[in-house]
Amino acid sequence: TPSISGLNLLLAEDNELNAEIAEVLLKDEGAHITLVKDGQQAVGAFARSEPGTFDAILMDIMMPNMDGITATKRIRAMNRQDAKDIPIIAMTANAFEEDRKRAIESGMNGYVTKPIKIEELISTIKKILKS
């Protein structure tokens, strides 16, 4: 299995239980997690971070205040190089092709469906980081 040990991940998830499960699973794999509860907080956390702080962003699509699609577009529009390059992976309960397409069109690099399967999430992160 590919390892995500040592990676710094920004996790945007508004559902407390989903956030807790994802955080525990990712930490068990050795990743360092910064948890935020909506898209607005994700944009803020990324904006305040030094370039290169995060290896990837795991972005829920449906969140209050600002959804994941809008947050991704805001991050991509920032005037800093890592904003264009950072892998952003959608996490959503919506498994329809049109949802996946919308996520990719917004600037996301990958897409995993909920409930999160840790093996699928890890392989998606590793695959995107390699490319």
Side-chain angles (χ1 to χ4, degrees):
T1 349
S3 170
I4 58 166
S5 185
L7 292 183
N8 290 306
L9 305 173
L10 178 58
L11 171 62
E13 171 62 72
D14 68 307
N15 180 291
E16 239 174 271
L17 183 61
N18 289 346
E20 190 178 326
I21 291 168
E23 186 175 23
V24 166
L25 291 172
L26 292 163
K27 281 183 173 178
D28 283 352
E29 295 294 328
H32 306 284
I33 306 301
T34 301
L35 180 62
V36 295
K37 296 192 181 316
D38 63 38
Q40 204 167 350
Q41 290 180 11
V43 171
F46 184 79
R48 287 187 304 276
S49 71
E50 288 295 317
T53 297
F54 297 111
D55 295 300
I57 300 172
L58 306 176
M59 186 78 77
D60 186 18
I61 298 288
M62 306 292 276
M63 294 183 286
N65 301 323
M66 183 186 293
D67 64 63
I69 299 284
T70 304
T72 297
K73 289 177 180 176
R74 295 253 172 100
I75 289 169
R76 293 292 187 222
M78 286 181 190
N79 190 20
R80 53 189 258 191
Q81 187 52 50
D82 63 334
K84 316 286 182 259
D85 303 333
I86 188 160
I88 302 177
I89 299 167
M91 300 186 312
T92 182
N94 300 337
F96 299 109
E97 179 59 28
E98 69 228 27
D99 296 311
R100 192 193 70 73
K101 199 172 157 206
R102 231 180 83 201
I104 300 303
E105 285 170 355
S106 77
M108 293 183 175
N109 305 85
Y111 187 92
V112 293
T113 55
K114 293 179 185 176
I116 297 297
K117 295 169 209 67
I118 192 65
E119 302 80 21
E120 179 190 3
L121 182 56
I122 290 170
S123 72
T124 301
I125 293 168
K126 292 306 283 184
K127 185 175 75 181
I128 290 169
L129 286 176
K130 270 188 202 157
S131 59

